[in-house]
Amino acid sequence: MAKTANLYARIEPDVKEQAEAILNMLGISASNAISIFYKQIILTGGLPFEVKLPKPFLDVNAMTPEQLNAELEKGYADINEGRVRPAADVFADIRKDFGV
């Protein structure tokens, strides 16, 4: 057996439970998942996924009247062109983006 090193990390219990439930379904132990993650860091030279802040929402209070009018015009154009989505879908995406 290969030599191993111990890794101690603190994590929220709910996050741990949810992740380990998925790993169990995949037949992967938490230790193996962490090892896979570390190997991917080595292979990619960084985190093996994109890390960025979510897109900020428009702050209408910080907009000039001209900027607000331009955004409203974009919205009207989207409606006229049929580029619309049900509100439930939009809110589901927002919750997903923020991990809610």
Side-chain angles (χ1 to χ4, degrees):
M1 179 178 219
K3 291 183 180 181
T4 61
N6 291 328
L7 172 70
Y8 299 97
R10 295 176 115 9
I11 190 163
E12 296 170 29
D14 188 47
V15 171
K16 179 181 180 289
E17 288 174 20
Q18 289 179 48
E20 287 182 355
I22 294 168
L23 291 172
N24 285 335
M25 287 188 278
L26 294 170
I28 301 172
S29 70
S31 292
N32 283 339
I34 293 168
S35 182
I36 291 167
F37 177 61
Y38 271 44
K39 288 176 182 178
Q40 285 296 307
I41 291 171
I42 295 165
L43 287 170
T44 61
L47 292 175
F49 47 81
E50 190 173 347
V51 178
K52 63 181 184 178
L53 296 173
K55 292 179 183 175
F57 291 99
L58 293 176
D59 182 359
V60 296
N61 295 318
M63 298 174 105
T64 66
E66 293 79 18
Q67 290 170 322
L68 178 58
N69 190 47
E71 290 301 320
L72 290 171
E73 290 294 334
K74 288 180 195 175
Y76 293 137
D78 285 342
I79 291 169
N80 290 333
E81 296 293 323
R83 293 185 300 261
V84 296
R85 294 179 55 205
D89 293 350
V90 174
F91 286 115
D93 286 348
I94 291 169
R95 284 190 291 275
K96 182 177 66 176
D97 288 345
F98 286 97
V100 180

